[in-house]
Amino acid sequence: MTIVSHRHKFIFLKSRKTAGSSVEGWLAPLLGQRDVVITSDENRRLPVFSTPHPVTRFAAVERPFKKVLRLVRPGFRLDQHSDAVDVRRVVGEEVWRSYYKFSIERQPWDRLLSLWSWRQHRLKREISFDHFLDRIERNDGDPLVQYWSNLPAYTDEGGSIIVDRVLDYAHLRAELSGVATQLRLPLAVDSLPKHKSGIRARSHGVESLSPAQIKRVSHLCRAEIELFGWKEPACSEPA
């Protein structure tokens, strides 16, 4: 979800396959009635039903009402993975400048493997990792590869980072602890839940990638690799 917390003056921009659902569950208990929580349509909070942030009580009634609200209520013009530029436009420059904005990123070889596994599971389709990369390269609109890049979650149209901090998924607990300290949030990383885990087979780790696959991912994700200075993973197979 995208979270705009007026109570604690922060904006969390959810990226894909970076434990975003776990982080939203971690943050949810802190949120107040004025905070904007933009999640999936069925989970969005309505002003008249006092629905808790993460859960819908009256789905059959709420869903059609929410479709109308998306046309008239600014927060409903966003979605759970809204681009940073869209969130900035909706909240306004004053809030954007004064609130602490953060997202999460994951080194791309591991992230795309995770996205590949998750999309196969969710869409009930089987596809090889090479064919998954083929579809990304073709940009053919296949739901398997839609929104495969996280760059829009924290950069502008020119590719410059516009949030205050992009947390490193590889050190997420330490990074979140730093955010909690900076914002004085009464949260401990020990309470971070684990959502959407256990989908990817252990045999589908980064070490399973061939040199050619590593190079393909490097080419697709060269922008974020340059932003964060990631190095290609070692591969035991000869090139």
Side-chain angles (χ1 to χ4, degrees), residues 42-211:
E42 62 269 23
N43 287 340
R44 295 182 180 182
R45 178 171 60 86
L46 288 173
V48 293
F49 291 126
S50 298
T51 303
H53 294 292
V55 181
T56 287
R57 290 181 183 172
F58 312 103
V61 177
E62 290 183 19
R63 288 181 183 180
F65 187 31
K66 287 170 181 177
K67 290 180 180 179
V68 175
L69 281 179
R70 290 186 70 177
L71 302 176
V72 298
R73 187 167 179 241
F76 277 73
R77 298 172 195 164
L78 301 171
D79 62 37
Q80 62 175 325
H81 290 289
S82 290
D83 295 353
V85 291
D86 292 332
V87 175
R88 180 172 63 182
R89 183 182 65 253
V90 169
V91 302
E93 288 296 331
E94 182 177 351
V95 167
W96 184 262
R97 283 196 305 269
S98 59
Y99 284 25
Y100 186 79
K101 305 164 291 294
F102 65 101
S103 187
I104 309 168
E105 187 55 288
R106 182 177 187 173
Q107 61 99 332
W109 304 275
D110 190 39
R111 181 177 61 80
L112 287 186
L113 278 170
S114 180
L115 184 66
W116 166 62
S117 295
W118 172 250
R119 290 281 173 80
Q120 288 185 99
H121 167 76
R122 184 171 185 180
L123 299 177
K124 295 179 170 54
R125 290 173 57 185
E126 291 189 11
I127 184 174
S128 71
F129 188 62
D130 280 313
H131 287 157
F132 180 76
L133 297 179
D134 289 342
R135 282 166 168 75
I136 292 176
E137 290 167 349
R138 290 202 303 265
N139 191 26
D140 61 6
D142 190 322
L144 275 168
V145 298
Q146 281 185 327
Y147 311 113
W148 62 271
S149 174
N150 278 336
L151 283 170
Y154 53 84
T155 65
D156 61 15
E157 297 91 337
S160 298
I161 294 175
I162 56 173
V163 299
D164 297 298
R165 187 171 178 181
V166 181
L167 310 186
D168 183 352
Y169 174 86
H171 307 286
L172 187 57
R173 286 181 174 270
E175 299 271 67
L176 288 173
S177 180
V179 169
T181 298
Q182 179 160 350
L183 295 175
R184 299 181 180 179
L185 303 178
L187 289 173
V189 292
D190 290 342
S191 63
L192 182 69
K194 292 183 178 181
H195 296 320
K196 300 182 181 178
S197 61
I199 301 299
R200 185 170 68 174
R202 291 186 179 182
S203 59
H204 293 155
V206 172
E207 65 279 359
S208 70
L209 294 175
S210 69

